[in-house]
Amino acid sequence: ASQKLEEKLVCSICLELFRVPVTLPCGHNFCKGCIRDHWHKGQQAPAAAKTGYTCPECRRDFERCPELEKNVTLWNVVELARDGDARGSGTGRCEVARGELCPQHGRPLELYCENEQRCICCICTVRQCQGHRRVLFEEERSKKQTFLEESLEEAQEESERIERAMQELDEQTRSIKDSSDKLKSRIQSKCTHLRKALEDFQCQVVARIEQEQVSRLERLEENWSLLKDSLDVLTQYKEKAQNLLACPDHRTFLQELPRLPRLESPEALVPVEFDVAHVIKPILETLADISRLLLEDLPGSVTPKAPNPTGQAPSTPLLFPDHCNLTFDPETANKYLELSRGDRKAKHIPSAICRQQEQEPRFEPWQVLCMQSYDSGHHYWEVKISSHAVILGVTYRGLPRERQHGHSFNIGLDSSSWGLQVREDCYLAWHKGQAEKIREELYKNLGVSLDYGKGLLSFYGLGERTRLIHSFHDVFTEPLYPVFWLCEGRVVTLCQR
C-alpha cells in the first residue's frame, strides 16, 4: 500500500516525487516547473506542430493557460512521504541510516543492479533499472567477495615481492657504499704513493738532466778551447806569411820561408750530442712502474674480466668486434719455420732448412714477427696452437734477432717485449726477463687483446668459457708487432674472420 501511494505522488513528467505540485482543471497533478516547461516547449514548436495548453495525461486542451496554484494538501502529503522514507513511520519499517538510502529517491536500497553496477531502491527498479538484471545483495556479495579474496592474495604476493625487491635494493645500496668507500680509500692510498713517486721521480730526472747538461757543456767548452788555440796559431801564421810576402829582398824571402811553421790539421773534436733518447728511456721505465702501481689491485672495471657465459661456447666476435686478420712476415721467420696457407700457418720443422738464414732481419731463435703493427686503438686476434711449448706476445720492431741470456727465445727478456709462454702444466708471463707463473687450464685456442692507449695487453683462453689468463699494464711508446716462438714440431695458425 505504501508503494502504491508513493507511485501516486510521482510527477508523470520528471518521474520524481512532486516538488511544487499544481492541479490542472482536468484534475491531474504535475510539478509546477515540469508543466510550465512542457507548455513552453509546445509554444516554441513550429506552427503546424503547436499543441497549445494541453494536459500531458488526458490530452485535454485549454483555451488559455490555466493558473498554476500550489496544491497545498498534495504538497503536505508529499512531505509526509519524504519524512516517512527518511525516518520511518508506524508501519513497522526499521530506522534506516543515511548511507542505506537511495541518493535519488530517498528509499532504502534493496537490490543490486548488475548493468549499472550499483545498489538500487524499489523506485529505481521500476524506472531506471526496469529490464536490467537485478540480484539480492547476498548473491552479488558472494561473487564480489570471491574476486576480492583473489585480489587480496595477489596484493599480498605483490607486497612480498616488493619487500624482497626493497631488501635487495638495500643490500645493493650497502654494497655500493662499501665498494665505494673501499675504492676511495684505495685510490687515495695510491694517489699518495703516486705523489711521493712523482716527487722522487722529479728530483731524479731533474738531477739527471742537469748532470747530462754539465757533462755536455764541459765537452763543448773543451772543443771551443781547441778551436780557439787552432785559430790563434792560424792568425800568427797568416801574419808572418803576409810580412814575408811583403819583403822586397829575394834572398831574405828564401831564407825566411823555411822558418814558417807548418800548418797542421786541428785536433779532432770530441762529438757532443745531448742524447734525449738516453735520458728519456729511464723516464719511460719509471712511468711504466708508476702506471703499474696505479693499476694493480684495482677492481674489474680497470682490469676487464673475461665474460662467463653458460651453456654454449662464447661469441668472441661480440666480445671483441675489432678482430684483426694477421699474417706472418716471411722476412723475419727463422730458417726452420715453414710458412703456409698464405703465411697464416707456421710449423717448426727441425730436420729441414726452409730458407737460408741471413744476418738481418731473420731471427736466430725459432721466432717470427707478423706483418701488422699497431700504435693506437684497440685490437684483437686469435691463434690456434698444436700443443704446449709455444710463446705468443708483442714486441717493438727492434727485438734482437740473436739468442740472448742462454735462452732459446728472447720474447719478454727485455723491456721492449711482452710474452705468454704456454707450458705443459702452467703459463709463464714474461717481461724484462722476469716470469710470473700462472696456474690455469691449457687452451689450444687463445685470444690476444691489445688496448694501446690504455697500455693494456690481455691473453684469453677460448673454450666453452672465455677466461682471462693474464694482463700486462705498461706504457707503450712504439708500434707493437705480434710475435711468436715455436718449439720443435709445434704449429701455430692465425685465425681469420
Side-chain angles (χ1 to χ4, degrees):
S2 175
Q3 183 174 351
K4 290 182 178 180
L5 175 61
E6 187 173 335
E7 291 177 358
K8 298 298 182 180
L9 300 178
V10 172
C11 173
S12 61
I13 296 177
C14 67
L15 302 179
E16 301 286 347
L17 290 176
F18 292 121
R19 285 185 279 275
V20 180
V22 295
T23 303
L24 301 185
C26 62
H28 292 111
N29 301 305
F30 302 94
C31 294
K32 184 175 182 180
C34 293
I35 191 63
R36 184 182 295 165
D37 291 341
H38 175 73
W39 286 341
H40 180 68
K41 291 178 181 178
Q43 292 296 322
Q44 291 184 343
K50 285 186 177 181
T51 58
Y53 301 104
T54 304
C55 174
E57 289 278 351
C58 63
R59 304 298 179 185
R60 177 179 173 181
D61 293 326
F62 305 106
E63 295 181 358
R64 57 183 180 180
C65 179
E67 293 186 9
L68 300 177
E69 296 290 341
K70 178 179 178 181
N71 188 328
V72 177
T73 302
L74 183 57
W75 167 256
N76 291 332
V77 174
V78 171
E79 288 299 312
L80 287 174
R82 283 201 177 97
D83 291 342
D85 289 341
R87 296 179 312 210
S89 62
T91 59
R93 183 181 301 167
C94 298
E95 185 175 351
V96 180
R98 179 179 297 273
E100 299 177 0
L101 298 178
C102 176
Q104 295 182 351
H105 308 112
R107 299 284 295 176
L109 299 173
E110 300 174 352
L111 297 173
Y112 184 84
C113 178
E114 291 185 345
N115 298 72
E116 297 191 7
Q117 297 288 305
R118 67 183 181 91
C119 298
I120 59 175
C121 67
C122 58
I123 298 178
C124 296
T125 303
V126 176
R127 297 175 187 172
Q128 295 93 333
C129 300
Q130 189 173 9
H132 292 179
R133 175 172 172 77
R134 303 178 295 274
V135 296
L136 296 174
F137 290 155
E138 293 80 359
E139 180 181 351
E140 184 64 20
R141 172 173 178 165
S142 176
K143 293 189 294 183
K144 299 286 187 184
Q145 182 168 335
T146 301
F147 171 78
L148 183 60
E149 289 173 350
E150 294 175 354
S151 177
L152 180 60
E153 291 179 1
E154 294 179 359
Q156 180 65 26
E157 293 176 357
E158 184 67 14
S159 298
E160 293 175 356
R161 187 192 67 80
I162 292 176
E163 289 176 356
R164 289 194 299 270
M166 293 176 64
Q167 291 177 355
E168 292 177 359
L169 290 178
D170 291 338
E171 293 176 359
Q172 291 178 3
T173 301
R174 289 191 295 271
S175 175
I176 290 175
K177 288 182 178 179
D178 292 343
S179 299
S180 176
D181 292 340
K182 291 179 181 178
L183 182 58
K184 285 190 294 185
S185 175
R186 194 176 301 172
I187 292 297
Q188 289 172 352
S189 174
K190 286 188 175 292
C191 287
T192 301
H193 286 86
L194 175 61
R195 283 192 292 269
K196 181 65 169 61
L198 287 176
E199 290 173 358
D200 296 342
F201 172 67
Q202 178 183 354
C203 295
Q204 295 173 5
V205 170
V206 170
R208 182 177 180 84
I209 293 175
E210 291 177 348
Q211 181 181 359
E212 292 290 333
Q213 174 186 341
V214 170
S215 175
R216 299 306 184 272
L217 291 180
E218 287 178 353
R219 293 183 183 179
L220 288 175
E221 188 174 353
E222 292 176 359
N223 289 342
W224 192 90
S225 298
L226 290 174
L227 293 176
K228 181 64 170 60
D229 293 342
S230 298
L231 182 60
D232 292 341
V233 171
L234 289 175
T235 300
Q236 294 176 5
Y237 178 84
K238 288 192 298 181
E239 183 179 346
K240 291 180 180 180
Q242 289 174 354
N243 292 335
L244 188 57
L245 289 173
C247 178
D249 185 54
H250 301 309
R251 181 183 55 81
T252 304
F253 176 84
L254 293 174
Q255 289 177 342
E256 293 295 331
L257 180 61
R259 298 176 182 175
L260 281 176
R262 292 184 179 182
L263 287 177
E264 297 180 358
S265 299
E267 294 184 27
L269 299 180
V270 178
V272 178
E273 180 183 358
F274 189 71
D275 191 353
V276 177
H278 180 68
V279 176
I280 289 296
K281 184 176 180 181
I283 296 176
L284 295 178
E285 293 178 353
T286 304
L287 289 176
D289 292 338
I290 293 175
S291 175
R292 190 176 299 106
L293 170 66
L294 289 177
L295 293 173
E296 283 177 352
D297 301 326
L298 286 182
S301 59
V302 177
T303 304
K305 301 295 182 183
N308 190 22
T310 57
Q312 58 182 3
S315 178
T316 50
L318 295 178
L319 301 176
F320 305 103
D322 41 5
H323 183 278
C324 305
N325 291 330
L326 302 180
T327 54
F328 293 116
D329 183 1
E331 299 298 326
T332 64
N334 175 269
K335 63 182 181 180
Y336 293 110
L337 299 184
E338 179 186 63
L339 304 184
S340 60
R341 294 187 184 178
D343 294 334
R344 292 187 293 107
K345 180 179 178 181
K347 183 176 182 180
H348 186 171
I349 304 178
S351 60
I353 297 179
C354 303
R355 58 184 59 78
Q356 291 298 321
Q357 184 74 18
E358 303 171 2
Q359 287 299 113
E360 288 291 345
R362 298 193 188 281
F363 283 107
E364 181 181 346
W366 304 323
Q367 297 176 178
V368 60
L369 289 178
C370 285
M371 298 289 294
Q372 295 76 15
S373 65
Y374 306 105
D375 58 4
S376 63
H378 182 270
H379 309 277
Y380 173 78
W381 58 90
E382 293 178 1
V383 299
K384 183 177 181 180
I385 61 175
S386 61
S387 182
H388 60 280
V390 171
I391 300 177
L392 60 157
V394 296
T395 180
Y396 297 150
R397 184 71 184 184
L399 182 67
R401 274 19 182 194
E402 64 278 357
R403 297 179 186 271
Q404 289 188 337
H405 308 292
H407 290 277
S408 59
F409 60 88
N410 55 22
I411 301 173
L413 299 184
D414 57 12
S415 61
S416 62
S417 60
W418 300 257
L420 181 72
Q421 182 179 5
V422 184
R423 302 183 67 176
E424 186 175 6
D425 58 343
C426 67
Y427 296 88
L428 293 180
W430 285 93
H431 184 56
K432 292 185 178 180
Q434 301 294 322
E436 180 180 346
K437 195 170 187 178
I438 304 162
R439 295 287 185 182
E440 187 57 73
E441 174 187 353
L442 175 62
Y443 293 90
K444 291 190 176 182
N445 292 284
L446 299 166
V448 183
S449 172
L450 170 63
D451 194 326
Y452 192 97
K454 292 183 179 179
L456 181 62
L457 174 66
S458 300
F459 296 88
Y460 293 91
L462 307 179
E464 292 184 356
R465 295 185 178 183
T466 300
R467 188 170 185 85
L468 177 66
I469 299 174
H470 184 73
S471 288
F472 290 101
H473 303 278
D474 217 326
V475 178
F476 303 131
T477 58
E478 299 180 28
L480 289 171
Y481 292 80
V483 62
F484 299 87
W485 175 86
L486 296 74
C487 191
E488 297 178 358
R490 301 304 188 263
V491 178
V492 171
T493 304
L494 301 174
C495 300
Q496 305 287 296
R497 292 197 185 281

